[in-house]
Amino acid sequence: MALNVRTLCLAILSMRDATGYEIRKLVTEGAFSHFIAASYGAIYPALAQLLTDRLVTMREEEQTGKPARKVYSITAAGQRALADALATLPGRDIYKSEFLLQMMFADRLPARQLAAIYDAYIAMQEAELAQLQEESRNMPQTPGACFVRDYGRLMLTTVLDFLKARRDRLLDECARAAQSENEEEAS
Amino acid sequence: MALNVRTLCLAILSMRDATGYEIRKLVTEGAFSHFIAASYGAIYPALAQLLTDRLVTMREEEQTGKPARKVYSITAAGQRALADALATLPGRDIYKSEFLLQMMFADRLPARQLAAIYDAYIAMQEAELAQLQEESRNMPQTPGACFVRDYGRLMLTTVLDFLKARRDRLLDECARAAQSENEEEAS
DNA sequence: CCTCACATGTAATGAGTTACATGATTGG
DNA sequence: CCAATCATGTAACTCATTACATGTGAGG
């Protein structure tokens, strides 16, 4: 079985108790955000499912005003299910990059736009690196977490170096390619 | 509109005419395979849609025995639609890594299994790099294609260096963590 | 005053995967 | 003789996203 939101919730709950809201935060802004995604519409039903399967338990904490927090904890059965799921994951990555597709056709894009897309991507990666740095401070120091953090840091700095080094060359080559294409059309 | 199979087909057809079968090969084994995925069940309907929208044309080439090849070509309207789609892509990457999730919980995995997962992943990345190298030879030499190829090469070699350098350290740390956890349980 | 953060959840919708169905030719 | 390659396509199904629905308290 491939990675799904249920397994993801189980994994997070194995580190600490959490509410659906907190899980979403971890997944969108926390240590997991760099290699995983999940929305409310997936997380809440997943937690409900885990509860009926008795892989987690839930306690409600009343609050004034806000709806009661539903804090989930993993059970022993959940720990076993997680270990099992982790072990049987096919372990293949899914990488979909709109940016690389755009770059593949860089010479078809108007020069102005290409530069804009490129710089926006650099900014995105830089933001991601900054966030990773931020997270590193209040992150559990398990060997796995450190490994993943270092992995992310290396990848991001490598990408950024490459992007910055190659920027002008790419823009230049694309300008030339567009020019020679125009000449061909004219002839 | 985010990246979908229709846009992907259009993009490939803008480089050269192709059949659905050929598009799938490009996407699973070719230059696009490193940052995109699509199955028959998505490609054939996408081509049919593009045809009714007149963004591509189709000619059948009869063959003895096999079903007729349906060779698709992009139209002028298709070129425009592609340029438009490429320009308006949000340009965000989707990266889902089961491997990194597994690594996040490396100390929970049996040592034997962790090593197996790790080495299998290295082998996978190595295969991917070899394939990229292979492709490079009969690849179009546009600035975009070269950029993407160099990008992929750099990322893969960087990952591989990291994975190989960190292997023994990770295994060691996880063994220690597992040991101290056992001691805690015993006390 | 308005927006953000907190906090839960559902329903409609979309997009693509998996598995099936069919069938000839070629190479080991 | 068996597996792989070529070649098209459909239907059932899974999975998750988006948008909606609801409501308070705090801070600028």
Side-chain angles (χ1 to χ4, degrees):
Chain A
M1 208 217 308
L3 177 56
N4 54 29
V5 179
R6 255 190 344 281
T7 307
L8 175 62
C9 289
L10 224 40
I12 290 175
L13 291 174
S14 85
M15 305 183 91
R16 56 136 146 154
D17 292 359
T19 66
Y21 188 84
E22 286 168 345
I23 289 176
R24 208 217 57 157
K25 281 214 99 181
L26 278 171
V27 162
T28 49
E29 298 166 33
F32 293 86
S33 64
H34 307 287
F35 57 90
I36 254 169
S39 62
Y40 284 137
I43 292 168
Y44 284 119
L47 287 171
Q49 184 64 52
L50 289 172
L51 194 59
T52 61
D53 292 348
R54 309 200 173 269
L55 303 181
V56 301
T57 57
M58 185 265 287
R59 65 175 184 280
E60 278 186 76
E61 289 180 4
E62 297 297 333
Q63 300 180 118
T64 51
K66 295 166 206 165
R69 306 175 79 222
K70 295 189 172 177
V71 182
Y72 293 87
S73 309
I74 194 165
T75 64
Q79 293 280 11
R80 261 175 277 130
L82 173 62
D84 195 58
L86 242 33
T88 59
L89 279 184
R92 71 171 89 85
D93 291 4
I94 294 171
Y95 180 51
K96 284 196 192 187
S97 177
E98 299 187 349
F99 175 69
L100 288 183
L101 187 71
Q102 287 171 318
M103 289 309 107
M104 203 78 174
F105 298 91
D107 51 343
R108 310 284 185 79
L109 259 41
R112 194 72 50 93
Q113 202 157 40
L114 173 59
I117 288 171
Y118 200 98
D119 294 335
Y121 192 74
I122 289 181
M124 248 182 56
Q125 298 301 117
E126 238 151 20
E128 183 124 346
L129 181 59
Q131 208 198 312
L132 184 62
Q133 224 76 43
E134 180 61 33
E135 281 158 30
S136 301
R137 266 182 267 130
N138 44 351
M139 197 190 228
Q141 295 297 310
T142 66
C146 293
F147 178 88
V148 172
R149 185 234 298 138
D150 292 349
Y151 182 100
R153 201 133 63 188
L154 175 61
M155 288 305 115
L156 285 169
T157 53
T158 307
V159 172
L160 280 167
D161 285 349
F162 178 84
L163 290 177
K164 284 173 185 167
R166 276 297 268 266
R167 185 180 182 279
D168 294 340
R169 176 170 154 194
L170 181 69
L171 262 43
D172 210 57
E173 284 175 350
C174 289
R176 270 169 227 250
Q179 207 173 18
S180 66
E181 204 176 293
N182 283 345
E183 276 164 32
E184 261 174 61
E185 260 171 52
S187 70
Chain B
M1 209 218 307
L3 176 56
N4 55 29
V5 179
R6 257 194 338 283
T7 306
L8 175 62
C9 289
L10 224 40
I12 290 175
L13 291 174
S14 85
M15 306 183 89
R16 55 137 146 154
D17 292 359
T19 67
Y21 188 84
E22 286 168 344
I23 289 175
R24 206 213 64 151
K25 281 213 99 181
L26 278 171
V27 161
T28 49
E29 298 166 31
F32 292 86
S33 64
H34 307 287
F35 57 91
I36 253 169
S39 63
Y40 284 137
I43 293 168
Y44 284 118
L47 287 172
Q49 184 64 53
L50 289 172
L51 193 60
T52 60
D53 292 349
R54 308 199 173 271
L55 303 182
V56 301
T57 59
M58 185 265 285
R59 63 174 186 280
E60 278 186 76
E61 289 180 4
E62 298 297 335
Q63 302 181 114
T64 50
K66 296 166 205 165
R69 304 176 80 221
K70 296 189 172 179
V71 182
Y72 294 87
S73 309
I74 194 166
T75 63
Q79 292 281 11
R80 261 175 276 131
L82 173 62
D84 194 58
L86 241 34
T88 59
L89 280 183
R92 70 171 95 85
D93 291 4
I94 295 171
Y95 180 52
K96 283 196 194 187
S97 177
E98 299 187 349
F99 175 69
L100 287 183
L101 187 70
Q102 287 171 319
M103 289 310 107
M104 203 77 174
F105 298 91
D107 51 342
R108 309 285 185 79
L109 259 41
R112 194 73 49 94
Q113 202 157 40
L114 173 60
I117 289 171
Y118 200 95
D119 294 335
Y121 192 74
I122 289 181
M124 249 181 57
Q125 298 300 116
E126 239 151 18
E128 183 125 347
L129 181 59
Q131 206 199 310
L132 185 61
Q133 226 75 44
E134 181 60 32
E135 283 158 28
S136 300
R137 266 183 266 131
N138 46 352
M139 197 192 230
Q141 295 298 310
T142 65
C146 293
F147 178 89
V148 172
R149 187 234 298 139
D150 292 348
Y151 181 100
R153 202 134 59 187
L154 175 61
M155 287 306 114
L156 285 169
T157 52
T158 306
V159 173
L160 281 166
D161 285 350
F162 178 84
L163 291 177
K164 285 173 185 167
R166 276 298 268 266
R167 184 180 183 279
D168 294 339
R169 176 171 153 193
L170 181 69
L171 262 43
D172 209 58
E173 284 173 352
C174 288
R176 268 169 228 250
Q179 205 173 21
S180 67
E181 205 175 292
N182 283 345
E183 275 163 32
E184 261 174 61
E185 259 172 52
S187 70

